[in-house]
Amino acid sequence: MLQCGGDRVVIVGGGIAGALLAKTLQGHADVVLIDPKEYFEIPWANMRAKVDPAAVERTVIPHSDYLTHAKVVTASAVGVDDSVVLTSVDRTIGYDFLVIATGRNCTRPQRRSERLEMFQRDKERIAAAGSILIIGGGPIGVELAAEIAIDSPDKRVTLVHGGPRLLKVMGARASAKALEWLRSKNVTVLLEQTIDIEDLARADAGDEKTGWVFTTSAGENVTADCHFVCTGRPVASGWLRGTFLADHLDADGRLAVDEHLRVGRLKNVFAIGDITDVPEAKQGYLAQRHAMVVSRNLRLLLKDGALEHKLHRYKASKAAIFVTLGRRDALSELPFMTLIGPIPGAVKPRDLYVSRTRRMMGLRWNG
C-alpha cells in the first residue's frame, strides 16, 4: 500500500481535467495520478487528428512530460473507501484528499505510440474510402463530418442520428444551422434513424474492405466503405457503485457536487469534469475551470484546514458553446444569438487551442 502523510492528493482520471489538476498541485502536495493510460490527450483536437494525424503529435502528451514532481500509477481504479483507492493492479493507494475525474467510458490503448497509430489508421481508412458513415449527431459526429467534408469533398459522407435534430446540447436554431451547413457541403443527414449494432459488428469483423450496406431503422440503405461511431458515451462511474460514494450518484451516474465541487459535502472528496452533475454543457474548457477551482481549494485546505470558509465556489457556466466545422468555420451559440461560418470560426485558433493548452501544462508549444 502506498502510505499517505497528511498531504496526499489522489486524482483518479488523467483526462483534460485530472491532468491539469495534477499539474497545478504537484508543487503543493504529494500528488498521485491514477490513470489507465500513460498519457493524456487534448480532446477537442481529436476530430482534426483523424484527417491530419501529424497534428496529433502535440495533443497526445505523456504524463511524465508535465508531471515532474508527482507519482503516476498506470492502472484503473476499481474501488474506493474513505481512506484508500484500490487499483486494477491490486495496489491500494491511501489518500488524504480524493478527486474523481474519470469522465466518460472510453477505450484507449495504454501506450502513447499505440494511440498515435490509431489516428494514423483512421486517416488511412478515410483516405481509402469513397463513402463514409458517421453514426451520431452530437458535437463529435458533426465535427467529424465537417472535417471530412472540408478535407475530402470528393467523399460521400452520410451522418445517421437517432434524434429529431442534431446537437441536442444546443438550441433548435443552432441545430438547424448545423444541418443546413452540413447539407451545403453535400453531407447526407438522416434524422430519427439508427443503425443496428449487429450490422456494425459484422462490418468491423469484415474490416470493411469493400462497400458495406447498412440498413437504417427506417429501412434506408446506406453504402459505406468505413464507419465511425460517434454516439454519446456513459459516465465512467461504474466503479463507484457499491462504494461509500454510491449514494451520491444520480440516475445518469454523475456525482452530486456542492458549490465547491465537493462530493456530497464530504470534507475531502471532490469531483471535476464530465462526471459531475453541474448543470452546464460538458465541454473540455469547463472541465479545466473545474480543475482550477479545486486546485485553489485544495491548496487552501492543505495550508490550513481551518480555511474552509474561504473555499472558492464554482458557478455553472452559461458561456458560449462552440462546434468546429472544418478549418475555417464554426457554430457558436451565445446567450443572445447563434452564429455560423467564418466569424465564429475566427474566434477559435487554427490549432484549436492546442498551443494554449500546452502552455497551461508547462510545455513548449512545439515540444
Side-chain angles (χ1 to χ4, degrees):
M1 174 175 171
L2 193 58
Q3 300 286 343
C4 49
D7 65 346
R8 165 74 54 75
V9 177
V10 172
I11 302 166
V12 183
I16 196 69
L20 180 59
L21 179 61
K23 162 66 180 175
T24 58
L25 281 180
Q26 65 179 340
H28 305 273
D30 175 15
V31 174
V32 179
L33 177 67
I34 302 173
D35 190 56
K37 316 177 306 303
E38 64 181 22
Y39 58 88
F40 93 98
E41 56 188 272
I42 302 173
W44 46 83
N46 282 357
M47 297 305 103
R48 176 70 49 81
K50 290 183 184 297
V51 297
D52 183 12
V56 84
E57 289 282 348
R58 296 171 57 232
T59 70
V60 181
I61 301 167
H63 292 312
S64 57
D65 280 8
Y66 66 93
L67 291 180
T68 55
H69 297 91
K71 302 178 184 71
V72 179
V73 177
T74 307
S76 298
V78 296
V80 64
D81 65 20
D82 61 1
S83 61
V84 301
V85 177
L86 175 64
T87 71
S88 57
V89 293
D90 291 329
R91 185 177 182 185
T92 56
I93 302 171
Y95 66 85
D96 298 299
F97 295 93
L98 174 66
V99 184
I100 299 170
T102 44
R104 296 179 180 274
N105 287 328
C106 192
T107 302
R108 294 282 187 267
Q110 176 180 322
R111 298 187 180 281
R112 177 178 184 267
S113 59
E114 294 172 350
R115 182 62 173 141
L116 295 179
E117 289 170 4
M118 287 180 66
F119 284 112
Q120 182 60 40
R121 287 196 298 272
D122 284 343
K123 166 67 173 177
E124 292 169 358
R125 290 171 64 206
I126 292 170
S131 53
I132 299 162
L133 170 63
I134 297 171
I135 300 107
I140 293 175
V142 169
E143 288 192 350
L144 179 57
E147 289 287 349
I148 297 172
I150 293 300
D151 195 71
S152 304
D154 57 316
K155 311 289 184 185
R156 297 192 309 276
V157 180
T158 302
L159 188 154
V160 176
H161 181 57
R165 62 183 181 89
L166 301 173
L167 301 171
K168 71 176 183 179
V169 299
M170 305 176 82
R173 184 183 295 272
S175 297
K177 286 180 178 291
L179 178 62
E180 181 182 9
W181 189 95
L182 288 173
R183 287 178 171 167
S184 75
K185 307 304 178 189
N186 297 316
V187 175
T188 299
V189 179
L190 304 178
L191 298 175
E192 297 187 271
Q193 299 186 47
T194 59
I195 299 290
D196 192 307
I197 193 169
E198 292 185 4
D199 276 358
L200 298 177
R202 284 193 292 269
D204 287 336
D207 292 327
E208 298 171 323
K209 294 185 184 300
T210 58
W212 192 274
V213 178
F214 299 86
T215 302
T216 74
S217 56
E220 292 197 48
N221 290 332
V222 178
T223 300
D225 298 321
C226 71
H227 72 271
F228 295 92
V229 179
C230 301
T231 52
R233 301 186 304 270
V235 175
S237 59
W239 66 284
L240 296 173
R241 301 192 184 281
T243 74
F244 81 114
L245 296 176
D247 290 343
H248 303 295
L249 294 171
D250 67 13
D252 295 320
R254 293 192 173 93
L255 282 167
V257 293
D258 66 11
E259 65 272 22
H260 308 300
L261 297 176
R262 289 187 299 193
V263 176
R265 296 193 178 274
L266 295 169
K267 299 291 186 182
N268 65 334
V269 182
F270 294 78
I272 55 178
D274 283 8
I275 200 169
T276 70
D277 70 344
V278 177
E280 63 186 6
K282 302 302 180 183
Q283 296 206 311
Y285 77 98
L286 296 178
Q288 289 179 317
R289 290 185 186 178
H290 292 190
M292 296 308 297
V293 169
V294 170
S295 178
R296 290 193 290 268
N297 285 340
L298 283 172
R299 278 180 277 175
L300 282 171
L301 294 173
L302 288 162
K303 183 178 180 180
D304 185 350
L307 295 176
E308 184 170 332
H309 64 286
K310 293 188 176 181
L311 292 183
H312 297 267
R313 290 179 169 83
Y314 182 82
K315 184 177 180 180
S317 175
K318 296 181 180 178
I321 300 175
F322 279 90
V323 174
T324 300
L325 300 172
R327 310 265 175 170
R328 296 182 180 276
D329 291 357
L331 172 65
S332 175
E333 184 175 63
L334 304 168
F336 50 88
M337 71 172 63
T338 300
L339 298 173
I340 193 167
I343 294 177
V347 174
K348 212 167 192 178
R350 293 290 174 85
D351 78 340
L352 304 176
Y353 293 113
V354 170
S355 297
R356 186 183 75 171
T357 304
R358 289 183 62 87
R359 287 195 298 270
M360 291 175 70
M361 304 302 292
L363 302 170
R364 297 195 313 274
W365 73 273
N366 61 346

